[in-house]
Amino acid sequence: MADRERIQELSAAGRHQECLQACQNALQVNQEETYAYKYAGKSLLALGQFEKAQQCLVKAHQLDSGDPETVKDIGNIFLNLGNKADALQWYEKALQINNSYAPAFNNLANLKRQSGSNQEAINLFKRAIQTDPNLIQAYVGAAASFLELG
């Protein structure tokens, strides 16, 4: 458990190279360690290594299909690659796993705002805020959508 906590701390601190090394160490001990694949994927995503990130996150999802964060991060990879349609599908899949997962609502709302559907975006941002009042990005996105609507 100490490995998992350390990996989470390294990831949260943005120390991605160290996080990757810690994940590799954990996988040497147990090749089915879901959290190690998940956080390796998150670090690779942050470092812009999308193909490797996708491999890790898909493996984490195969090992634990009930984690909406992993599914949302797979969506983030597609978004970074410019594939909004697949990103949208993965964000919706995250909400199928947990229908009150605020980051997925926020990401869906951002996609709607980018496509000019500001009222739909506002509704999604509101849902994100209702499920997680501390998700600052949702307030920012809602404000931007309201400004677009005048």
Side-chain angles (χ1 to χ4, degrees), residues 23 35 45 73 128 130 136 148:
C23 289
Y35 73 87
L45 175 59
D73 284 338
Q130 287 171 345
I136 301 303
E148 285 291 319

Side-chain angles (χ1 to χ4, degrees), residues 3-27 35-44 47:
D3 284 346
R4 181 182 197 140
E5 290 171 6
R6 173 151 169 69
I7 287 171
Q8 288 174 321
E9 288 173 10
L10 290 169
S11 177
R15 294 165 58 188
H16 301 299
Q17 291 296 344
E18 291 175 71
C19 183
L20 280 172
Q21 185 60 54
C23 289
Q24 288 173 345
N25 294 344
L27 290 169
Y35 73 87
Y37 285 107
K38 174 181 175 175
Y39 285 97
K42 289 173 102 38
S43 287
L44 290 163
L47 293 169

